[in-house]
Amino acid sequence: MDLVPALEEPLKKVLGPATAKVMAEHLGLHSVGDLLHHYPRRYEERGQLTHLADLPLDEHVTVVAQVADARLHSFASAKAPRGKGQRLEVTITDGSGRLQLVFFGSGVHKPHKELLPGTRAMFAGKVSLFNRRLQLAHPAYELLRGDAEESVETWAGALIPIYPATAKLESWKIGKAIQTVLPSAQEALDPLPESLREGRGLVTLPEALLKIHRPHTKADIADAHARLKWDEAFVLQVALARRRHADAQLPAVPRKPAPDGLLAAFDDRLPFTLTDGQQKVSKEIFDDLATDHPMHRLLQGEVGSGKTMVALRAMLAVVDAGGQAAMLAPTEVLAQQHHRSVVEMMGELAEGGMLGGAEHATKVVLLTGSMGTAARRQAMLDLVTGEAGIVIGTHALIEDKVQFHDLGLVVVDEQHRFGVEQRDALRGKGKQPPHLLVMTATPIPRTVAMTVFGDLETSVLDQLPAGRSPIASHVVPAADKPHFLSRAWERVREEVENGHQAYVVCPRIGDEEDDPKKARKSAEDEAEKRPPLAVLEIADQLAKGPLRGLAVEVLHGRMHPDDKDAVMRRFAAGETHVLVATTVIEVGVNVPNATAMVIMDADRFGVSQLHQLRGRVGRGSAAGLCLLVTEMPEASPARQRLNAVASTLDGFELSRIDLEQRREGDVLGQAQSGARTSLRVLAVIEDEEIIAEAREEATAVVEADPELTALPGLRTALDALLDEEREQYLEKG
């Protein structure tokens, strides 16, 4: 982060090209500074062993343990037909459990001599399963000898740092490399303003780096963590504060709704009154729209809390004020659905320029990639002339050819599906930057919102509108209690007999080519030895078996858009009883008559995804039912996750549970790409206070000195944070 000449030194100069190449390719470390910021994951104490009892399958681990026994076996094989093949089996123990190590062929000689019973060593390798027992095959190892040996020097003192490592580079090799560059830590430029650091009693950056890599006591580690957490929180919040500050300097056209215009006419037509939450959030939005710099607001609310209604009223207010509003949806199905529901809600107000249109009416157009040329040309014409006040579309809206008469508001649905480039491209279509409203149905804990969407003000809709029914959720343990699954299908039949409809959701489509490279198996898959259940197979089984006689259809992402639409229309019209689908139905599908949902292999979905899916039922007056089917054993973390989903309908509570289980990599938008989260020591949920305080400090610093002229160390740290793909990470939702 704090790249100054000594820390900018490329690793290949310091460590040699071979090691540097592995560090760059496998750990993304290129300079001395990068390596100093590669912190230990945990520490082992000489006198205390790691827990072999809870090793994760399929992960690279480093353990410190003692050899209990070692046996050499010979066996016959194709290469050594006369029983000359050799296998060394070593059992290691740490008091909590035992683990088998195996070495084969010519690789047995060195460990056979060195790994004698009673020997202590560090072992690194990938945990695999053999004969239902965990083992490490051909682990790398480093003996821990007596005090006289150099290894004690290398791992200074009693605490051995264990680094995030890879198959090509064991933890202790990383440790040795860090010892080589540690003297450069003295030259690290401190990003924290001195007054802040002293006021909070934090150690200097060089001292923190020294203490995290070579601690003598646990207090050293605590000091280093406290300091480095502040760095991460503060630098990130300064970056966000500078964005907010820059946005606040931009001009925007204030948009105030006319007192007796389109919005008033729309409100008069509403068959119900808005909830208090909707009124409060609408007021926040209208206040923002009336200012002369662009609104940047995140609107989050449970599935079905009425976000679309709030967004539509904001769009109407802008049309009233002479501008245009664009709503960006992540998929064609969703764009079409939003378009249908907006036109329905507006009625004759959406028929501007047509016979029968009301006096304040405007045109609501749809723009998607698969539209025919003529329809597309007409939609674009309506936009450029200003005929259409509201446009709803997909990425097609962002294309260069699309021009607006006067774009005043951009509404983005399901933020996490849009990168910032798209947000900016659409913003660039206004004569002045348009106002921005981002909607998400995945409730986000406050701290994550501050960290990820720190450039947006947040509004929360937390009450459900009247008429939404409660959803009962139950876990169906198919392996332990198969009769529960049979009962689940009976329940689906009962719902259909009562005139309702049901969804069955599966993790996979089922027409994939079986490409062994693609099928990255997780530990549970290995244990289960079966791929996730697929839509096409399940639909077939249900239609021939437990749901015989009912109209069952399938829906998945690889279908042609027209076919998808036809299936959705038949389901919405009640012609189809049961829809077997992938998560394409996760957002925006609204069929009030659907009351039951069965989620197959529910353990393969994330907590927030299950919550999203469940929100598709109980949208009408009848109560909803959601059944989470799993084959995971009762004690597994997967089952605990499902029990949590079944026990609460509070999305904010669930998002906290989700975050605690998955860590923040996913939430910060990096998981999809598999990149590491740029937070190394900061944990979003645990460090709530630090993030909130850092935000206040950062805002004050940026207001006093937007260019950070007095803080060169902070500027350097920001450049380092923002130069890698971090710029997108900040902007990504």
Side-chain angles (χ1 to χ4, degrees):
M1 251 194 222
D2 333 271
L3 303 179
V4 294
L7 301 197
E8 271 170 14
E9 192 80 32
L11 287 174
K12 59 173 175 282
K13 271 191 171 167
V14 191
L15 303 174
T19 309
K21 184 169 186 267
V22 177
M23 288 197 167
E25 284 174 8
H26 294 274
L27 296 168
L29 308 174
H30 304 279
S31 66
V32 169
D34 291 344
L35 182 55
L36 286 173
H37 284 292
H38 186 71
Y39 308 134
R41 191 169 49 194
R42 56 189 171 82
Y43 300 85
E44 287 297 357
E45 293 180 62
R46 274 284 147 84
Q48 180 202 349
L49 298 163
T50 176
H51 288 294
L52 293 180
D54 27 275
L55 286 181
L57 194 61
D58 273 347
E59 277 190 29
H60 281 282
V61 297
T62 301
V63 296
V64 176
Q66 189 161 356
V67 177
D69 69 13
R71 293 177 189 186
L72 195 58
H73 303 271
S74 25
F75 60 93
S77 71
K79 284 185 184 162
R82 288 199 298 277
K84 293 279 173 63
Q86 291 198 304
R87 182 175 81 243
L88 175 66
E89 290 182 2
V90 178
T91 306
I92 58 173
T93 175
D94 68 348
S96 78
R98 297 165 85 81
L99 180 67
Q100 183 106 28
L101 315 177
V102 286
F103 300 88
F104 295 101
S106 55
V108 302
H109 307 307
K110 184 168 174 273
H112 190 214
K113 283 209 300 279
E114 293 184 334
L115 297 178
L116 304 171
T119 310
R120 306 197 31 185
M122 294 171 80
F123 301 92
K126 188 175 182 184
V127 183
S128 58
L129 202 59
F130 179 71
N131 277 346
R132 306 198 69 77
R133 286 169 63 192
L134 294 181
Q135 68 167 26
L136 295 182
H138 281 282
Y141 62 88
E142 181 98 340
L143 302 179
L144 296 177
R145 299 191 176 87
D147 292 339
E149 297 284 339
E150 61 87 44
S151 59
V152 179
E153 272 312 294
T154 318
W155 295 309
L159 292 160
I160 306 169
I162 304 286
Y163 289 93
T166 73
K168 299 267 192 295
L169 202 62
E170 293 88 21
S171 168
W172 54 85
K173 289 187 181 157
I174 297 172
K176 284 179 176 167
I178 285 176
Q179 296 304 329
T180 310
V181 301
L182 206 49
S184 312
Q186 291 310 325
E187 301 188 37
L189 251 188
D190 204 323
L192 291 189
E194 203 166 319
S195 56
L196 188 158
R197 189 176 58 71
E198 289 177 350
R200 295 185 178 275
L202 300 169
V203 299
T204 63
L205 184 57
E207 193 182 334
L209 290 172
L210 209 61
K211 284 183 165 177
I212 201 159
H213 292 300
R214 197 186 271 172
H216 292 294
T217 61
K218 288 187 176 170
D220 284 353
I221 302 170
D223 284 352
H225 269 158
R227 160 64 215 238
L228 295 166
K229 280 182 176 189
W230 253 96
D231 277 20
E232 285 182 11
F234 182 70
V235 173
L236 185 59
Q237 292 300 341
V238 166
L240 292 165
R242 288 185 74 184
R243 269 193 69 107
R244 284 197 302 277
H245 186 269
D247 285 339
Q249 310 307 309
L250 292 172
V253 180
R255 310 278 179 177
K256 292 184 177 142
D260 51 358
L262 193 54
L263 179 62
F266 175 76
D267 284 348
D268 289 345
R269 286 177 49 99
L270 282 180
F272 51 82
T273 52
L274 297 174
T275 65
D276 295 348
Q278 286 175 318
Q279 304 226 19
K280 176 176 144 286
V281 169
S282 289
K283 182 179 180 325
E284 292 171 353
I285 292 171
F286 291 153
D287 289 350
D288 279 1
L289 289 174
T291 60
D292 52 12
H293 55 85
M295 160 172 89
H296 286 111
R297 195 166 273 285
L298 173 70
L299 170 57
Q300 49 170 343
E302 290 286 3
V303 173
S305 56
K307 290 184 300 298
T308 314
M309 171 62 70
V310 169
L312 176 56
R313 293 184 72 243
M315 297 201 296
L316 295 174
V318 169
V319 175
D320 258 356
Q324 289 169 296
M327 182 184 236
L328 201 53
T331 63
E332 297 214 348
V333 171
L334 256 177
Q336 288 159 343
Q337 228 165 357
H338 276 314
H339 181 254
R340 271 201 296 273
S341 62
V342 164
V343 169
E344 273 167 29
M345 287 200 264
M346 286 176 63
E348 67 215 27
L349 298 174
E351 295 169 5
M354 298 184 229
L355 280 171
E359 66 167 310
H360 295 296
T362 185
K363 230 178 188 182
V364 179
V365 299
L366 176 69
L367 190 60
T368 65
S370 65
M371 278 166 70
T373 322
R376 221 181 136 88
R377 196 176 294 130
Q378 182 59 52
M380 284 163 64
L381 188 67
D382 287 341
L383 286 179
V384 77
T385 57
E387 226 6 56
I390 293 178
V391 58
I392 294 167
T394 54
H395 292 73
L397 280 177
I398 296 166
E399 289 173 11
D400 296 341
K401 296 194 286 283
V402 180
Q403 297 297 324
F404 288 84
H405 176 63
D406 178 13
L407 180 61
L409 170 67
V410 175
V411 178
V412 180
D413 185 23
E414 284 305 311
Q415 162 73 2
H416 55 278
R417 317 230 167 163
F418 284 104
V420 73
E421 301 81 31
Q422 289 119 323
R423 242 162 70 177
D424 281 351
L426 194 51
R427 267 188 202 168
K429 294 191 178 289
K431 296 191 175 69
Q432 285 193 327
H435 299 281
L436 175 72
L437 180 65
V438 172
M439 301 197 295
T440 172
T442 311
I444 305 166
R446 186 174 135 255
T447 40
V448 181
M450 282 195 298
T451 309
V452 186
F453 302 108
D455 59 333
L456 302 172
E457 297 298 324
T458 308
S459 293
V460 179
L461 275 175
D462 47 13
Q463 53 184 148
L464 292 184
R468 285 298 307 251
S469 307
I471 304 170
S473 307
H474 303 284
V475 178
V476 177
D480 315 350
K481 302 183 176 155
H483 61 284
F484 275 36
L485 185 57
S486 319
R487 176 74 188 113
W489 301 126
E490 284 169 23
R491 283 289 291 114
V492 169
R493 288 196 87 97
E494 286 163 18
E495 289 297 312
V496 173
E497 281 157 16
N498 289 331
H500 298 302
Q501 292 158 280
Y503 298 98
V504 177
V505 182
C506 304
R508 208 164 60 91
I509 297 173
D511 58 0
E512 298 88 349
E513 290 297 305
D514 285 333
D515 177 353
K517 283 197 205 68
K518 278 190 184 157
R520 290 210 358 256
K521 292 196 167 62
S522 73
E524 278 128 326
D525 294 4
E526 277 297 325
E528 293 289 315
K529 282 282 184 273
R530 77 166 172 72
L533 293 171
V535 166
L536 302 176
E537 296 153 19
I538 292 287
D540 194 44
Q541 290 168 18
L542 291 176
K544 291 176 180 159
L547 303 183
R548 218 180 9 261
L550 302 185
V552 177
E553 286 210 67
V554 299
L555 178 71
H556 57 74
R558 281 214 292 277
M559 288 163 61
H560 186 278
D562 295 349
D563 297 341
K564 271 196 248 184
D565 240 41
V567 169
M568 266 325 295
R569 269 204 295 275
R570 286 195 291 275
F571 189 63
E575 294 161 28
T576 308
H577 298 132
V578 179
L579 187 62
V580 183
T582 54
T583 53
V584 287
I585 60 153
E586 177 183 359
V587 282
V589 175
N590 187 16
V591 180
N593 191 42
T595 52
M597 176 178 286
V598 181
I599 302 180
M600 306 303 291
D601 276 345
D603 46 273
R604 314 235 177 180
F605 298 99
V607 170
S608 6
Q609 203 174 21
L610 290 169
H611 184 58
Q612 278 291 76
L613 286 165
R614 165 171 69 183
R616 301 288 123 221
V617 295
R619 298 177 77 88
S621 50
L625 172 68
C626 177
L627 302 174
L628 306 166
V629 179
T630 176
E631 293 189 2
M632 285 288 116
E634 196 159 351
S636 62
R639 270 286 278 282
Q640 289 159 10
R641 222 173 43 232
L642 296 179
N643 291 339
V645 174
S647 65
T648 174
L649 287 172
D650 179 344
F652 286 92
E653 180 51 35
L654 286 174
S655 64
R656 279 190 86 97
I657 294 170
D658 199 15
L659 196 56
E660 279 159 8
Q661 290 205 332
R662 294 191 313 176
R663 298 284 303 175
E664 29 288 317
D666 301 21
V667 185
L668 299 187
Q670 291 290 49
Q672 289 75 3
S673 61
R676 291 172 310 157
T677 155
S678 51
L679 299 185
R680 294 173 190 161
V681 281
L682 192 71
V684 172
I685 286 285
E686 293 157 35
D687 298 323
E688 194 158 350
E689 284 170 29
I690 295 180
I691 292 170
E693 289 172 20
R695 180 174 167 131
E696 279 176 31
E697 295 271 9
T699 308
V701 165
V702 170
E703 287 192 345
D705 178 7
E707 292 307 306
L708 310 177
T709 30
L711 298 164
L714 179 54
R715 274 216 313 280
T716 309
L718 264 181
D719 294 343
L721 175 77
L722 299 180
D723 72 342
E724 308 163 33
E725 304 145 79
R726 304 286 165 72
E727 185 68 72
Q728 295 156 14
Y729 146 75
L730 271 185
E731 316 224 9
K732 195 170 179 149

